[in-house]
Amino acid sequence: MVDADLVVIGAGALGLSTALNAALLGRRPVVVERHTAGSQASGRAAGLFKSVQADELRTWLARRSIELALTFGDWAGSELAVTRSGSLLIARTDQHKAYLQTEARQSALWGVDVREARQGELSSQVSYFRGDGREYALCCPEDIYIEEPISLIRAYLEAGRLHGLELLESEAVTGVIVPGDRVTGVETTRRSIAAPVVVDAAGAWTRQAAELAGGEVAVAPVRHQLLITEPADAVDPADPIARIVDAAVYLRPARGGLMAGCFEAAPLPLDPRAQPPSFSTDDVPLDIAVLQVMARQVAREVPVLSDAVVSDGAVTTAVAEHRGGLFTMTPDGRFVTGPVPDVPGLWVASGCNGSGFSSSLALGEALAGWIFGRDPHVDLGPLSPGRFGPVTDEALVKAGVWQYAHYYDPAPS
Ligand SMILES: Cc1cc2nc3c(=O)[nH]c(=O)nc-3n(C[C@H](O)[C@H](O)[C@H](O)COP(=O)(O)OP(=O)(O)OC[C@H]3O[C@@H](n4cnc5c(N)ncnc54)[C@H](O)[C@@H]3O)c2cc1C
């Protein structure tokens, strides 16, 4: 007996987008979630969408996702609030200026609306940024953000339910049923579910979920953190996103204050397989020292941030929220999306590399189309999990950490 056309393991952004798009194709998806929808990485995201990417496929996915976010109500049937802020990419060194100039040339070829900022534009457009006029900046008017990440999760769910998506929360997938040469369903803590397709969208637990079926997926979870200051006069809610690439720092208005996150050079890898079964994102240790280093690096340009994080007592603005979670990094910094080798019927949507929240809209659309033989809009073949071949844990973590540390200056494709 078939209970569903597909079972999705994990109700994060990637799993829910895939399930919603399957439902829109007339299929019956069941999403099984160990905790609650959006409670892990997706609910902690900064909500940023970035049109400038390191290769053509990721650029396409990023821009398609922006388009799908802006038109969500039209194609999905539920509302999604999006802030059309635009963004600035800022370089304070000649090396990073050259890097941005290359990115701008490439991105323009791939269709992105990107141009050099004019003299004075940076200081006039971004009230929380106090430059000295010598910075180099690119304007990216297409970029957007979603103020509270949980609103995308709610929108996926609301739209999905309109089209037949079923969500089972507080229920873990404990086994993938592979009686012969292909997957026929899953076992959960509460039931068996028969389905010809299972999608592993388990985020930081992607490897464990694949291993339940004897599959291998090369992802290395790595910690990422951000903070939001208390409301501050220095921040105009209408300000754009700013990314200071030489410091690997991103900034945007949030709840009347400033959100700031960074990609440190020596991030913390954290494999849930080595943790107790109860391990969740709430157990990821947070370290404000990482964000203090970030704030010092941009103290002159973003005083509201250093006031909040590194002040020696004369605090004018405090930190209202400090949060973190796990990215799923891959050896080449690209998503892993497609059929898992040697396990027919098992697919994966993971390897977020820090962009899974935003790119979930286009990835879910393309993956559902691929699985069910409909128009995927783009060829996800280059992102298939089989591209890595066997990789040791040590090599995987080393490569994943490298990719994390080079988020704003990745290796060329
Ligand atoms: C602080 C922070 C800021 C970020 N900012 C951005 C940003 O600005 N833009 C962006 O694009 N991305 C951002 N990201 C990355 C983004 O959050 C992730 O790429 C995205 O959320 C990944 O979604 P996911 O569905 O793969 O994972 P998750 O949201 O973690 O979902 C996976 C789900 O699977 C469930 N699960 C695992 N195992 C099982 C099982 N056996 N049975 C049932 N359920 C299971 C988990 O409980 C979890 O809910 C950020 C991440 C962090 C931590």
Side-chain angles (χ1 to χ4, degrees):
M1 195 188 90
V2 173
D3 298 325
D5 291 321
L6 85 158
V7 169
V8 176
I9 309 174
L14 288 170
L16 288 175
S17 176
T18 306
L20 165 61
N21 278 283
L24 288 166
L25 294 176
R27 307 300 169 134
R28 285 172 303 138
V30 172
V31 182
V32 185
E33 168 55 49
R34 190 206 308 268
H35 300 288
T36 55
S39 61
Q40 304 302 304
S42 298
R44 328 253 165 157
L48 305 174
F49 290 60
K50 180 172 183 279
S51 54
V52 169
Q53 296 285 335
D55 62 53
E56 189 169 7
L57 177 53
R58 276 184 289 174
T59 302
W60 190 93
L61 290 166
R63 297 185 71 230
R64 175 71 177 159
S65 291
I66 291 172
E67 184 187 342
L68 291 173
L70 291 171
T71 58
F72 198 87
D74 301 336
W75 61 270
S78 70
E79 288 314 307
L80 176 66
V82 174
T83 306
R84 301 181 82 146
S85 60
S87 82
L88 286 130
L89 283 163
I90 302 165
R92 301 174 302 175
T93 69
D94 288 343
Q95 182 198 348
H96 290 87
K97 173 181 173 181
Y99 173 64
L100 284 186
Q101 287 173 325
T102 304
E103 275 211 312
R105 270 195 303 278
Q106 286 177 342
S107 295
L109 286 176
W110 299 329
V112 180
D113 184 2
V114 55
R115 62 168 176 81
E116 288 187 3
R118 290 181 286 273
Q119 190 68 29
E121 202 170 359
L122 183 52
S123 51
S124 68
Q125 278 202 13
V126 195
S127 40
Y128 56 78
F129 189 90
R130 309 237 178 105
D132 63 7
R134 285 180 296 171
E135 301 83 6
Y136 176 82
L138 296 176
C139 294
C140 311
E142 295 176 330
D143 288 0
I144 59 171
Y145 67 84
I146 290 178
E147 174 74 25
E148 301 294 343
I150 203 70
S151 61
L152 177 61
I153 297 300
R154 289 192 184 122
Y156 279 143
L157 276 176
E158 199 181 321
R161 284 182 172 128
L162 291 174
H163 300 282
L165 180 156
E166 188 181 351
L167 171 67
L168 306 172
E169 290 182 306
S170 304
E171 185 166 336
V173 170
T174 52
V176 177
I177 308 165
V178 196
D181 60 357
R182 61 171 300 120
V183 165
T184 60
V186 299
E187 303 283 359
T188 79
T189 40
R190 296 200 185 157
R191 72 199 91 202
S192 302
I193 307 171
V197 175
V198 173
V199 175
D200 175 357
W205 298 265
T206 297
R207 289 186 80 186
Q208 283 112 305
E211 283 165 3
L212 293 174
E216 287 278 339
V217 178
V219 296
V222 172
R223 181 184 67 189
H224 181 69
Q225 307 178 83
L226 60 77
L227 64 82
I228 303 174
T229 71
E230 284 187 342
D233 291 343
V235 185
D236 182 339
D239 278 334
I241 302 159
R243 297 179 171 96
I244 307 175
V245 294
D246 51 275
V249 168
Y250 60 79
L251 307 151
R252 74 154 167 96
R255 304 174 191 163
L258 189 68
M259 177 187 284
C262 72
F263 297 83
E264 68 264 40
L268 179 73
L270 207 167
D271 189 346
R273 294 182 310 165
Q275 302 296 321
S278 62
F279 174 81
S280 80
T281 306
D282 291 338
D283 301 314
V284 174
L286 299 181
D287 182 2
I288 194 71
V290 171
L291 300 175
Q292 286 171 329
V293 171
M294 160 189 81
R296 281 196 194 94
Q297 283 177 331
V298 297
R300 189 173 57 77
E301 292 86 356
V302 195
V304 63
L305 182 59
S306 50
D307 276 359
V309 193
V310 293
S311 165
D312 54 3
V315 175
T316 50
T317 311
V319 174
E321 183 176 345
H322 173 197
R323 69 183 189 229
L326 296 170
F327 285 1
T328 48
M329 304 304 298
T330 60
D332 61 5
R334 293 166 175 80
F335 300 104
V336 273
T337 313
V340 176
D342 306 323
V343 192
L346 181 66
W347 297 68
V348 64
S350 186
C352 79
N353 289 280
S355 303
F357 178 83
S358 50
S359 291
S360 64
L361 290 122
L363 279 173
E365 177 188 61
L367 185 59
W370 188 5
I371 292 171
F372 293 112
R374 304 285 279 275
D375 180 9
H377 301 272
V378 69
D379 177 14
L380 291 182
L383 302 180
S384 288
R387 72 186 184 274
F388 298 119
V391 48
T392 64
D393 278 9
E394 196 187 359
L396 176 56
V397 170
K398 190 172 171 210
V401 162
W402 190 94
Q403 293 293 344
Y404 180 97
H406 292 82
Y407 185 82
Y408 285 129
D409 56 347
S413 50

